[in-house]
């Protein structure tokens, strides 16, 4: 499911990507799937949902690289948001 969700993301089928990635993550946590889910939310224009995903990934990532990427995405979204 994670691979199918990532493929949907690449193909621009964002709603499908979110559904597949969430289903995959309900079965097993995966840093790449969490990151892809955050990106799908960003591309859907859902910054709050994206930030929630990135916060979770920043804390729970198995890889320091994914945690750092999540923090960078959080910083980027925070500076893009209107005040």
């Amino acid at each position: 499911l994670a691979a199918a969700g990532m493929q949907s993301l690449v193909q621009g089928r964002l709603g499908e990507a979110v559904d597949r990635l969430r289903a995959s993550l309900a079965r097993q946590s995966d840093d790449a799937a969490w990151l892809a889910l955050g990106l799908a939310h960003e591309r859907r224009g859902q910054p709050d949902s994206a930030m929630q995903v990135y916060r979770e990934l920043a804390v729970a990532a198995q890889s320091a690289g994914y945690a750092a990427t999540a923090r960078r995405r959080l910083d980027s979204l925070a500076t893009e948001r209107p005040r």
Side-chain angles (χ1 to χ4, degrees):
L1 282 173
M6 289 180 206
Q7 183 67 27
S8 296
L9 176 62
V10 168
Q11 294 173 344
R13 297 189 321 258
L14 303 176
E16 181 179 298
V18 167
D19 291 343
R20 287 180 170 179
L21 291 163
R22 286 206 178 277
S24 173
L25 289 165
R27 292 181 178 182
Q28 179 177 345
S29 186
D30 175 72
D31 292 350
W34 280 109
L35 183 60
L37 179 60
L39 291 171
H41 280 301
E42 280 192 68
R43 291 180 185 168
R44 290 185 84 186
Q46 300 170 324
D48 291 336
S49 295
M51 291 177 79
Q52 172 91 21
V53 169
Y54 293 141
R55 280 187 201 100
E56 291 180 35
L57 180 58
V59 171
Q62 298 295 310
S63 160
Y66 278 103
T69 298
R71 286 190 295 276
R72 282 194 302 274
R73 294 304 315 138
L74 276 169
D75 290 345
S76 177
L77 286 171
T79 59
E80 292 174 6
R81 295 188 68 140
R83 296 191 187 260

